[in-house]
Every structure is written in structure tokens, then in C-alpha cells.
Amino acid sequence: MSVAPVLDVRGIDKHYGALHVTRAVDFSLAAGARHALIGPNGAGKTTCVNLITGAVPVDSGEILLSGEPVTRLDLAARRAAGCVVRFRSISCFAT
């Protein structure tokens, strides 16, 4: 039995003029899964997250949340559907 992914990203692209920031990004996340998005500065990590959450519109590709397409929904609609990002910052305190 196959379980549909909670998040399914299919071939998303984003470019700003001649600069192609993301190219054909594909991945799926199952419920409860944890994955890391790593790469050097300027690799497109933040842009990728912004594309998924709707902060930046995709040029092409598709994003599904629990099997429903959310690619053309804006940031507020995606948030209402449960697609949110929460950045974690690590701080050190003197003891």
C-alpha cells in the first residue's frame, strides 16, 4: 500500500531574468518526515522555501499539499491550508 506524500514538489523553476535560481526541483515528504535543505550561499535554498510557501510565485512546476494543488495559491491561502515554514535560531547564553 502506497501512502500519498504530505508535500509533493514537482519540477519547480524560478528565474529572475537570465538568472535561473531553481531548476526542476523535485521531492516528496511523507507525514512526520524530516529533511534538510543544504547548499552554499546563493544556491537557491531560501528561494526554494519561498516558492513552496507561496511567498514567491513559481515560474513552472507544481506543488501539492496532501494531494491538493497549491501552486497558484497565495501565501495566506497556503498558510490556511497548513503550509508554513518556521525558522529555528540557535542562541547561546552565558550561564
Side-chain angles (χ1 to χ4, degrees), residues 39-50:
N41 290 344
K45 300 177 300 292
T46 300
T47 299
C48 188
V49 170
N50 288 338

Side-chain angles (χ1 to χ4, degrees), residues 2-90:
S2 176
V3 177
V6 172
L7 177 65
D8 196 11
V9 175
R10 299 176 182 172
I12 60 173
D13 283 314
K14 183 65 182 179
H15 56 83
Y16 297 99
L19 179 61
H20 213 138
V21 182
T22 62
R23 188 184 313 260
V25 175
D26 289 304
F27 67 90
S28 296
L29 294 176
R34 307 270 188 307
H35 290 269
L37 184 59
I38 62 172
N41 290 344
K45 300 177 300 292
T46 300
T47 299
C48 188
V49 170
N50 288 338
L51 291 168
I52 293 166
T53 61
V56 173
V58 300
D59 291 332
S60 62
E62 187 174 31
I63 301 164
L64 294 102
L65 189 60
S66 297
E68 296 296 319
V70 297
T71 312
R72 302 295 170 220
L73 298 180
D74 65 12
L75 182 68
R78 287 190 206 192
R79 182 174 291 142
C83 186
V84 220
V85 64
R86 181 174 175 190
F87 293 100
R88 179 176 177 208
S89 85
I90 300 172

